[in-house]
Amino acid sequence: LHVVRLGRYAPSTTPISLAASKATTEAILSIGLVLGLLACTNGDTQGLPSFVAETGNDISNFFTSIGNAFNTNSIPMSTLLPAAGAILWTGWVTCAYTIYAQSFGQSRVSPTDANLIYTTQPLFSALFAWVILGETLGEAGYIGAALIGVALWLVTGTDDSTDKGEKEKLEFNVDDEQAFLPISFFKDKLQSAGMKSKASAIDVEKIKSTR
């Protein structure tokens, strides 16, 4: 659903705006979740699920230990600098950049093509694990990779071309179209095909009569 919705807004919005909105929303929700879990540990936790109380206690202990370590200067720079670098890498590259890259990419490809690309993620993960870490696949891994490749080949092989698929989406019949589709659906289809002048020619009453 996220890929489909992103495919709807990415072409009409800049990637940096989408990335900033998503990152801001994630940050607000994450901070709210942490504060909520911390608040749970300060009160009566008997009525809460055990994992909620345990997570809240772990977060509270973490902040307490970090605060004590800074107050006593017990964290050496040899530990602090790599930790800070890992935090910045996680925030800027693996989170912020990937959000931007996804928004940028989906402004140029359809949600269907984007999902096909995302399906290859396990293959690239295995490839980088082999190149960087020297990991190897077992028998089940090779079978899974082969199944992913065959599935992609079957899906992409059924489409003659992207242009043909887009053309077929636009060539709909008002009489035969499913009745639950809103009227705006037909106007949007005509307008997206550059036929704004024909949008007003749709017989609204005829569409309503088919519902």
Side-chain angles (χ1 to χ4, degrees):
L1 181 60
H2 168 68
V3 175
V4 175
R5 297 301 297 170
L6 184 58
R8 168 67 176 83
Y9 293 105
S12 58
T13 310
T14 60
I16 193 65
S17 298
L18 285 174
S21 299
K22 185 177 180 181
T24 302
T25 302
E26 291 177 349
I28 293 173
L29 293 178
S30 299
I31 294 173
L33 177 61
V34 170
L35 293 178
L37 291 172
L38 288 175
C40 292
T41 61
N42 295 328
D44 186 11
T45 60
Q46 293 182 353
L48 297 175
S50 59
F51 74 93
V52 174
E54 293 174 0
T55 305
N57 288 327
D58 291 340
I59 295 174
S60 179
N61 293 334
F62 170 77
F63 282 114
T64 301
S65 62
I66 290 294
N68 293 334
F70 276 109
N71 291 332
T72 58
N73 295 323
S74 60
I75 302 180
M77 293 299 295
S78 59
T79 301
L80 186 59
L81 290 179
I87 293 173
L88 293 177
W89 174 271
T90 303
W92 289 349
V93 179
T94 63
C95 291
Y97 173 72
T98 53
I99 296 173
Y100 171 83
Q102 183 180 12
S103 303
F104 179 84
Q106 285 202 230
S107 65
R108 288 159 172 76
V109 299
S110 65
T112 302
D113 293 336
N115 272 319
L116 290 175
I117 296 172
Y118 299 148
T119 305
T120 63
Q121 179 179 348
L123 301 180
F124 286 99
S125 298
L127 177 62
F128 283 110
W130 172 67
V131 173
I132 299 175
L133 302 176
E135 296 182 0
T136 57
L137 290 177
E139 182 179 350
Y142 284 110
I143 294 175
L147 290 176
I148 293 175
V150 171
L152 290 173
W153 177 75
L154 290 175
V155 172
T156 57
T158 56
D159 297 332
D160 294 335
S161 64
T162 304
D163 293 339
K164 180 179 178 181
E166 293 297 329
K167 183 179 180 181
E168 290 175 353
K169 291 179 183 178
L170 294 174
E171 292 178 352
F172 55 88
N173 191 321
V174 174
D175 294 330
D176 298 334
E177 192 64 26
Q178 294 180 358
F180 65 83
L181 290 175
I183 297 173
S184 60
F185 170 82
F186 300 97
K187 293 184 178 180
D188 291 342
K189 285 294 183 180
L190 292 174
Q191 291 175 356
S192 64
M195 298 182 294
K196 296 183 180 180
S197 60
K198 293 185 179 181
S200 59
I202 296 179
D203 190 351
V204 177
E205 296 299 327
K206 188 175 183 179
I207 297 175
K208 290 182 178 180
S209 64
T210 61
R211 296 185 176 179

